[in-house]
């Protein structure tokens, strides 16, 4: 991408070419940060639900003045001569023969899309209504989830609707309106979509972003810290990220499973540490991918939300948050590094991988627990607490 | 006839989105289908057709 940005800069500056980007990333501000870092000064559009139905990226498409496709994947050495310097005739098509638009849903259309969905009650009408909400009314993500669910009740094998439903669950997980289990719902929906069409690489990448290293094509967001540093060195403030990438999103691919213990000795094996019965911290687990054959690995994400009820915050002057996982004999695990940020009530995310032995016959449960210090907001009393976290590993047959 | 009518109604009402199983497949020599998507910075709707009259390199990409 940066190569084409540099290569086309002279034509862009001369007004002979316009670059328009489309990104399918879940978190738009990460792409914004990338654009800021690389100093892209052209519009970038956001298609998180992949409504354009691209199957892989990058794709470069050269359009002439009339909107006609002239080159796909243009050769750099022919681009100026074959495209920039050429004058193209208008297409010989009448207006009614033009291809139908790929999206038509803007904010103004949503009410009519809803009406159509309710009147016709077809899968495609519900999906369209959901698409409109997911693209243009992200504050109304509950309605998008409901509409995709309606579409899938009528057409369960619609992979696109399943993928988009997953995008909405993850979006809600990252917002203030999150519901317990949203991240796992997202992973389940993406995994179901990919099972319907294994060649859809936009869907595959969304799972791999959070998945185990054995299944990764590359690290996804390892460039973020460097980008933030270099932007600051230029005297600019980096675009703020809604969710800092962590663990799986930074991890490099690996061809072999690297076995590491989280701790050699269980930190609370006698079970005497008080349980967090008042939910000072709500923790939720997501296993990626949703199902895995025996012999392969999964990435387990544990997200900790302190003080969702305003009751407690992290006590940072004591021991850090710790996670202990009891793996059965023959299992291997690898732990990601703990986050270092020191604040008071931030969401914390830990993830690790386990490899499932090849002779595993059925799904099973791992026992895990977290240990942490929190302080109650009401009276400032701090306590060291334990939360048990059963983790279901679904092994496919 | 009733079935045919129902099918036709559905066809007219069906959206212009890629249908199930369809994929993005621009064709050299053919007009690119229009689309409207939100800009990543301020979420304003941007139509591909708003660039008509200018040469465009449309880049589908991800930061990773």
């Amino acid at each position: 991408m940066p190569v084409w940005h540099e290569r086309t800069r002279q034509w862009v500056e001369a007004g002979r070419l316009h670059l328009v980007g489309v990104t399918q990333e879940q978190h738009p501000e990460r792409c914004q940060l990338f654009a800021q870092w690389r100093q892209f000064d052209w519009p970038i559009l956001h298609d998180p639900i992949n409504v354009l139905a691209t199957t892989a990226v990058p794709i470069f498409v050269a359009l002439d003045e009339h909107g006609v496709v002239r080159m796909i994947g243009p050769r750099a050495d022919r681009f100026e001569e074959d495209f920039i310097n050429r004058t193209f005739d208008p297409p010989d098509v009448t207006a009614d023969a033009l291809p139908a638009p790929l999206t038509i849903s803007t904010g103004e259309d949503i009410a009519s899309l809803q009406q159509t969905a309710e009147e016709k009650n077809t899968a495609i009408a519900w999906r369209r209504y959901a698409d409109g909400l997911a693209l243009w009314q992200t504050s109304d993500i509950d309605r998008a989830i409901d509409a995709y669910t309606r579409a899938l009740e009528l057409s369960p094998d619609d992979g696109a609707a399943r993928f988009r439903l997953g995008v909405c669950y993850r979006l809600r997980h990252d917002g203030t309106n999150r519901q317990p289990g949203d991240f796992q719902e997202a992973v389940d929906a993406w995994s179901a979509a990919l099972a319907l069409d294994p060649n859809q690489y936009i869907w595959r990448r969304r799972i791999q972003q959070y998945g185990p290293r054995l299944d990764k094509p590359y690290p996804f967001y390892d460039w973020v810290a460097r980008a933030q540093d270099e932007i600051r060195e230029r005297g600019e403030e980096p675009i703020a990220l809604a969710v800092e990438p962590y663990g799986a999103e930074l991890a490099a691919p690996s061809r072999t499973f690297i076995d590491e213990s989280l701790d050699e000795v269980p930190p609370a094996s006698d079970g005497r540490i008080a349980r967090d019965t008042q939910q000072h911290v709500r923790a939720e687990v997501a296993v990626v991918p949703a199902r895995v054959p025996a012999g392969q690995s999964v990435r387990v994400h544990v997200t900790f939300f302190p003080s969702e009820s305003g009751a407690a915050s992290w006590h940072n002057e004591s021991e850090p948050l710790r996670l202990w996982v009891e793996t059965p004999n023959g299992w291997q695990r690898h732990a990601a590094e703990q986050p270092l940020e020191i604040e008071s009530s931030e969401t914390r995310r830990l993830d690790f991988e386990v490899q499932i032995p090849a002779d595993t016959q059925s799904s099973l449960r791992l026992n895990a627990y977290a240990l942490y210090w929190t302080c109650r907001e009401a009276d400032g009393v701090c306590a060291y607490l334990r939360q048990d976290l059963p983790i279901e590993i679904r092994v496919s047959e | 006839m009733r079935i045919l009518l129902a099918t036709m109604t559905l066809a007219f009402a069906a959206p212009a989105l890629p249908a199930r199983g369809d994929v993005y497949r621009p064709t050299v020599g053919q007009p690119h289908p229009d689309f409207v998507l939100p800009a990543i910075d301020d979420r304003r709707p941007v139509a591909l057709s708003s660039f008509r009259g200018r040469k465009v390199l449309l880049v589908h990409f991800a930061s990773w």
Side-chain angles (χ1 to χ4, degrees):
Chain A
M1 223 8 266
V3 174
W4 271 95
H5 173 63
E6 289 305 321
R7 194 167 281 152
T8 56
R9 186 188 288 269
Q10 55 173 317
W11 302 313
V12 171
E13 286 176 356
R16 303 180 69 200
L17 178 70
H18 293 263
L19 262 59
V20 178
V22 179
T23 186
Q24 291 80 18
E25 287 173 78
Q26 177 81 29
H27 300 100
E29 73 288 347
R30 293 183 182 178
C31 191
Q32 261 185 283
L33 179 73
F34 185 77
Q36 181 189 20
W37 179 39
R38 297 299 193 181
Q39 298 180 302
F40 296 168
D41 48 6
W42 27 275
I44 299 173
L45 313 183
H46 191 212
D47 184 13
I49 58 173
N50 193 25
V51 79
L52 298 190
T54 50
T55 51
V57 289
I59 307 170
F60 298 85
V61 185
L63 310 180
D64 70 16
E65 306 88 324
H66 314 289
V68 173
V69 176
R70 293 299 172 186
M71 301 170 118
I72 299 170
R75 278 177 49 181
D77 59 341
R78 303 288 308 170
F79 191 65
E80 182 170 20
E81 188 178 343
D82 290 354
F83 183 69
I84 297 290
N85 292 342
R86 271 190 67 184
T87 302
F88 295 95
D89 294 329
D92 186 21
V93 290
T94 56
D96 58 355
L98 286 171
L102 293 170
T103 61
I104 61 166
S105 308
T106 61
E108 303 85 66
D109 294 322
I110 289 175
S112 64
L113 291 171
Q114 180 179 9
Q115 190 179 355
T116 304
E118 288 171 349
E119 286 174 5
K120 300 196 179 304
N121 195 33
T122 59
I124 202 74
W126 282 110
R127 193 180 88 178
R128 265 194 106 203
Y129 169 44
D131 290 344
L133 291 164
L135 283 176
W136 303 106
Q137 282 189 23
T138 49
S139 59
D140 236 344
I141 208 66
D142 289 355
R143 285 167 67 199
I145 288 172
D146 288 346
Y148 282 127
T149 304
R150 294 289 290 271
L152 285 162
E153 284 167 2
L154 295 163
S155 181
D157 292 339
D158 183 352
R162 291 220 176 268
F163 171 77
R164 295 169 194 182
L165 175 64
V167 173
C168 292
Y169 274 122
R170 176 67 206 200
L171 194 61
R172 193 168 71 174
H173 170 81
D174 290 329
T176 54
N177 195 31
R178 71 177 68 88
Q179 300 294 313
D182 275 348
F183 187 14
Q184 186 69 66
E185 290 280 6
V187 175
D188 291 356
W190 294 332
S191 298
L194 189 62
L196 289 162
D197 185 356
N199 296 310
Q200 227 303 1
Y201 276 80
I202 300 296
W203 305 351
R204 185 178 291 277
R205 295 286 183 261
R206 199 65 56 96
I207 300 168
Q208 289 172 326
Q209 178 177 338
Y210 299 103
R213 290 164 304 156
L214 288 173
D215 187 39
K216 274 192 184 299
Y218 32 70
F220 280 71
Y221 289 104
D222 60 336
W223 55 268
V224 164
R226 189 174 142 219
Q228 289 167 328
D229 288 345
E230 291 184 13
I231 290 167
R232 286 194 188 94
E233 284 168 14
R234 297 201 302 246
E236 299 169 43
E237 189 57 31
I239 300 284
L241 301 184
V243 182
E244 290 285 338
Y246 70 100
E249 295 183 284
L250 308 173
S254 173
R255 288 188 175 187
T256 54
F257 193 91
I258 303 165
D259 188 18
E260 296 173 356
S261 293
L262 287 164
D263 284 302
E264 290 304 317
V265 180
S269 55
D270 62 3
R272 294 174 64 190
I273 295 171
R275 301 302 195 269
D276 186 5
T277 52
Q278 295 179 5
Q279 285 247 318
H280 285 188
V281 175
R282 186 176 69 76
E284 71 175 74
V285 172
V287 180
V288 188
R291 282 181 183 278
V292 68
Q296 296 194 15
S297 58
V298 293
R299 192 100 181 180
V300 181
H301 296 249
V302 187
T303 312
F304 299 90
F305 303 101
S307 192
E308 277 197 325
S309 58
S313 57
W314 299 113
H315 180 37
N316 287 313
E317 292 164 18
S318 300
E319 287 181 55
L321 167 68
R322 300 175 78 186
L323 182 67
W324 175 257
V325 186
E326 293 169 1
T327 44
N329 286 341
W331 288 54
Q332 293 182 304
R333 64 170 184 265
H334 168 84
E337 286 182 23
Q338 300 229 359
L340 296 174
E341 72 266 36
I342 299 294
E343 293 178 38
S344 61
S345 57
E346 77 278 8
T347 300
R348 291 188 178 179
R349 302 165 198 276
L350 295 180
D351 64 348
F352 60 92
E353 293 183 11
V354 290
Q355 188 167 38
I356 296 101
D359 59 355
T360 303
Q361 300 291 323
S362 60
S363 302
L364 55 94
R365 173 180 287 196
L366 297 182
N367 292 317
Y369 55 86
L371 298 164
Y372 44 79
W373 279 93
T374 59
C375 301
R376 284 201 303 253
E377 296 288 344
D379 53 14
V381 171
C382 299
Y384 191 51
L385 298 169
R386 166 174 166 156
Q387 183 166 168
D388 294 316
L389 298 164
I391 297 169
E392 300 288 340
I393 307 289
R394 287 174 278 180
V395 179
S396 51
E397 294 176 2
Chain B
M1 192 59 198
R2 211 180 162 82
I3 293 169
L4 179 63
L5 273 177
T7 310
M8 287 176 66
T9 308
L10 190 65
F12 283 116
L17 301 168
R20 197 170 70 194
D22 280 0
V23 296
Y24 177 73
R25 198 170 284 140
T27 308
V28 172
Q30 295 295 314
H32 192 288
D34 195 19
F35 59 78
V36 185
L37 286 169
I40 52 167
D41 47 5
D42 59 6
R43 313 294 300 167
R44 73 188 184 284
V46 177
L48 180 66
S49 55
S50 67
F51 297 91
R52 200 62 51 82
R54 296 177 274 187
K55 283 180 176 160
V56 168
L57 184 63
L58 179 62
V59 182
H60 301 268
F61 77 109
S63 64
W64 22 264

